[in-house]
């Protein structure tokens, strides 16, 4: 085990059945577009992968996880499910060092350890639309956060983790550009305004027709404030039919 193709195949085998997608990149592509404070401390040609959750992750990984594993009380349930699957994926590489960095991980000064949207963009997974992608933007002094759009899921996905294989150098890996699904200025304005001003209604997710979206259960789950999600899970647990003997 060692070539990026073998590693990618193993990772795919571990994660795809559970509704995750993976995309390889060189750490140097990521560091190359970021301010030095955000750089990942690995040689530039180190192999890394960004892990996305597709809409089906909820049914393929999260709901089974709830019935099979006991939830820890203090950690977010979806985060527990994602880290469970990352741990299983890591087991496929007993002789390799694999560093997993999650979307929610922060340095002590509160700076995120990885900028997931940049990782998604440089790996070709999902185009990261930022304010600077809108010529002569209309927002004046306002701070506008950027948002990634996936060619098949639109905004119906999340970027969960970056996996780095520190000992695996892939100088020959070819960079795939993300698909620019929104070349028009007006569409980009609509996307960024929906994401920044009305993200709760989820319209930014429908900026293009998506192949797969969140189910009703998943939409309800993520629309519920985190503090109340456990109550919802308990209700779901009670509604489950009693299994036959
Ligand atoms: C902090 C945070 C927030 C904060 C601040 C938002 C922000 N963007 O700063 C708050 C709490 C407001 C927030 C809110 C939300 N968030 Co949020 N958030 C994050 C988090 C943890 C870090 C983002 C961050 O601090 N970035 C730091 C800034 C400085 O980065 P930046 O603006 O991208 O700047 C860099 C780039 O410009 C880059 N760069 C420069 N030139 C170039 C050129 C190219 C080509 C590229 C690629 C990059 C690049 O260099 C800069 C740094 O040097 C990420 C997860 C993660 N770990 O990445 C999620 C994340 C961005 N959030 C996400 C979401 C969905 C939301 C919400 C909708 C809530 C929700 N969870 O449902 C709302 C919507 C935003 C809103 N209207 O308020 C998603 C976005 C998914 C997507 N499709 O893009 C993420 C990725 C989480 C995830 N797991 O999927 N969020």
């Amino acid at each position: 085990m060692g070539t990026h193709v073998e590693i990618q195949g193993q990772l795919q085998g571990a994660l795809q059945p559970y509704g995750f997608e993976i995309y390889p990149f060189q750490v140097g592509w990521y560091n190359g577009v970021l301010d030095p404070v955000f750089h990942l401390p690995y040689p530039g040609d180190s192999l890394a992968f960004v892990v996305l959750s597709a809409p089906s992750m909820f049914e393929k990984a999260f709901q089974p996880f709830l019935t099979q594993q006991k939830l820890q009380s203090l950690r977010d349930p979806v985060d527990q499910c994602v880290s469970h699957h990352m741990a299983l994926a890591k087991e496929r590489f007993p002789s390799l060092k694999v560093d997993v960095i999650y979307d929610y991980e922060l340095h002590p000064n509160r700076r995120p350890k990885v900028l997931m949207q940049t990782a998604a963009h440089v790996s070709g997974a999902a185009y990261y639309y930022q304010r600077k992608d809108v010529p002569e933007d209309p927002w004046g002094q306002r701070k506008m956060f950027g948002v990634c759009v996936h060619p098949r899921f639109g905004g119906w996905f999340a970027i969960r983790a970056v996996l780095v294989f520190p000992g695996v150098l892939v100088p020959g890996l070819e960079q795939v550009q993300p698909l620019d699904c929104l070349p028009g200025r007006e569409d980009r304005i609509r996307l960024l305004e929906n994401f920044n001003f009305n993200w709760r209604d989820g319209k930014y997710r429908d900026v293009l027709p998506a192949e797969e979206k969140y189910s009703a259960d998943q939409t309800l789950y993520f629309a519920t404030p985190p503090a109340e999600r456990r109550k919802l899970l308990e209700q779901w647990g009670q509604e489950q039919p009693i299994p036959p003997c």
Side-chain angles (χ1 to χ4, degrees):
M1 166 91 55
T3 71
H4 108 262
V5 178
E6 283 169 333
I7 293 175
Q8 187 165 347
Q10 282 294 331
L11 269 185
Q12 207 122 33
L15 295 174
Q16 194 171 287
Y18 297 98
F20 296 101
E21 288 193 336
I22 55 156
Y23 297 83
F25 64 97
Q26 285 183 24
V27 168
W29 303 342
Y30 171 90
N31 287 347
V33 293
L34 290 175
D35 289 339
V37 288
F38 290 110
H39 285 189
L40 288 172
Y42 304 95
D45 49 6
S46 306
L47 176 64
F49 291 86
V50 67
V51 181
L52 312 184
S53 55
S56 63
M57 186 278 292
F58 199 80
E59 283 73 27
K60 289 180 177 165
F62 185 56
Q63 289 183 328
F65 177 81
L66 292 172
T67 61
Q68 288 155 15
Q69 307 285 326
K70 198 166 159 27
L71 282 182
Q72 295 164 23
S73 56
L74 295 174
R75 282 182 66 205
D76 177 81
V78 170
D79 292 346
Q80 288 179 52
C81 168
V82 171
S83 68
H84 170 76
H85 283 284
M86 295 309 122
L88 290 180
K90 266 178 81 158
E91 283 176 9
R92 300 229 178 178
F93 309 100
S95 61
L96 290 178
K97 185 172 183 321
V98 188
D99 292 340
V100 184
I101 315 166
Y102 295 100
D103 55 343
Y104 51 83
E105 283 192 81
L106 305 174
H107 290 292
N109 62 7
R110 314 282 309 155
R111 184 180 297 131
K113 288 196 175 171
V114 175
L115 300 187
M116 291 294 164
Q117 295 162 308
T118 293
H121 186 100
V122 300
S123 66
Y127 202 105
Y128 182 30
Y129 293 98
Q130 307 185 70
R131 181 177 187 158
K132 61 184 172 204
D133 295 314
V134 178
E136 292 170 45
D137 75 63
W139 300 304
Q141 298 297 309
R142 278 204 76 128
K143 169 99 190 101
M144 295 294 281
F145 301 129
V147 56
C148 286
V149 176
H150 187 288
R152 286 186 294 120
F153 309 137
W156 299 94
F157 72 105
I159 319 167
R160 300 290 178 181
V162 162
L163 272 46
V164 186
F165 290 77
V168 182
L169 304 181
V170 286
L173 187 66
E174 263 186 50
Q175 188 164 14
V176 178
Q177 293 304 319
L179 204 69
D180 176 4
C181 2
L182 292 180
R185 180 175 180 274
E186 294 310 313
D187 284 342
R188 291 178 178 188
I189 289 178
R190 189 160 49 93
L191 170 71
L192 288 172
E193 291 191 345
N194 279 333
F195 185 69
N196 281 270
F197 307 148
N198 309 306
W199 61 271
R200 279 175 202 282
D201 69 16
K203 276 210 187 76
Y204 79 89
R205 299 185 191 270
D206 281 322
V207 64
L208 50 89
E211 212 172 84
E212 254 181 65
K213 290 189 192 185
Y214 291 180
S215 59
D217 278 356
Q218 180 164 197
T219 306
L220 174 64
Y221 181 80
F222 286 116
T224 304
E228 287 160 39
R229 288 178 185 170
R230 278 176 197 266
K231 229 186 298 163
L232 186 66
L233 294 180
E234 281 160 24
Q235 279 167 15
W236 285 350
Q238 281 157 11
E239 281 162 18
Q240 269 168 12
I242 298 160
C245 301

